[in-house]
Amino acid sequence: MRTVYVNGEYLPEDQARVSIFDRGFLMADGVYEVTSVLGGKLIDFAGHSRRLARSLGELDMANPVTMDALLEIHRQLVTLNEIDEGLVYLQITRGAPGDRDFVFPDPASTPSTIVLFTQAKPGLAGDTAAKKGIKVISIEDIRWGRRDIKTVQLLYPSMGKMMAKKAGADDAWLTEDGFITEGTSNNAYIVKDGKIITRALSTDILHGITRAAVLRFAKEAQMEVIERSFTIDEAKTADEAFITSASSFVMPVVEIDGMPLGDGKAGPLALRLREIYLDESRKMAV
Ligand code: PMP
């Protein structure tokens, strides 16, 4: 049985408890992070903890742990649960005041709730899925306007994945005024004439930790990166496409709305970037 972390305690998963009055449960008033684990080490922990601090700050939510303590909890769970490849999920909510109320509770009397657990994913970095690539459909982006804050309001992304599944695809790309914002749980990219094109950072998208690393590695490898919006029509005529996220790293996209991209195979630039990302990230893992 897994050991999980809840508000200062390491417990077997079936003994972990959170109040029914928790604002994460009642109002999706919480933020989260997912950090991948390769070779028993955390990938880009510093990036994830910085983004967590920013998400908390944007929502005026108290941070219940120091970043050093957070690293220690991540490491403990990876060790206790013997995770070689997988991920650590972290969630912090505005806690459990006695009653349901739209007004934020006083943080002095209502401490934040913090929960962490691991998910083992043997073969996460293997290249079988990556060589095949994924198929995406496009759907309207009807999420709220602060997508740069990593909140646990994931109902629409979850619905998007279900729409994709129903259409025989793997995931959905979200469009706003014809332009792609991002994937349901990843950032979106196209490649045209060797240039990597991805939407610029704003409140419209999540500032992916993997995105930041991949763009840095791409530039170091002398690849040209253009941060601008692109339409779904432009994407369909691209040479390649791919997504990035902490749990998929760099994953080629081979089909959009039923139309194969190029020769319908995983793109060489995406596969090369995946290799570079995995190599470099493993070197810097903690
Ligand atoms: N966009 C959205 C909407 C996401 O949910 C995620 C992953 N949580 C990402 C992008 C990718 O972010 P990261 O690379 O930090 O995992």
Side-chain angles (χ1 to χ4, degrees), residues 5 10 35 37 40-42 45 67-83 88 116 118 284-286:
Y5 179 91
Y10 293 91
T35 304
V37 178
K41 288 185 167 176
L42 300 158
F45 177 80
M67 290 307 150
D68 287 346
L70 205 55
L71 176 58
E72 183 52 32
I73 300 165
H74 276 73
R75 281 182 163 155
Q76 277 284 354
L77 287 181
V78 168
T79 305
L80 290 170
N81 295 313
E82 298 175 2
I83 305 296
V88 182
L116 286 94
T118 56
M284 296 182 301
V286 294

Side-chain angles (χ1 to χ4, degrees), residues 48-62:
H48 288 284
S49 64
R50 270 197 299 274
R51 183 173 61 191
L52 173 68
R54 179 178 179 277
S55 292
L56 290 167
E58 291 297 305
L59 295 175
D60 279 329
M61 207 181 285

Side-chain angles (χ1 to χ4, degrees), residues 125-127 129-134 173 187-197 210 213-215 217-218 221 223-225 238-245 248-255 261 263-279:
D127 59 4
K131 283 223 167 94
K132 202 164 143 250
I134 61 162
W173 276 11
N187 290 112
Y189 308 73
I190 56 171
V191 178
K192 189 75 184 174
D193 301 325
K195 299 180 179 76
I196 300 164
I197 302 160
T210 320
V214 164
L215 294 188
F217 297 143
M223 296 176 187
E224 193 178 338
V225 174
D239 300 327
E240 291 185 33
F242 62 93
I243 56 165
T244 65
S245 74
S248 70
F249 313 117
V250 178
M251 181 62 68
V253 169
V254 295
E255 193 181 293
L261 285 185
D263 60 4
K265 295 209 179 79
L269 191 144
L271 288 175
R272 179 151 165 251
L273 264 182
R274 179 183 175 90
E275 213 175 279
I276 297 174
Y277 175 78
L278 286 170
D279 283 352

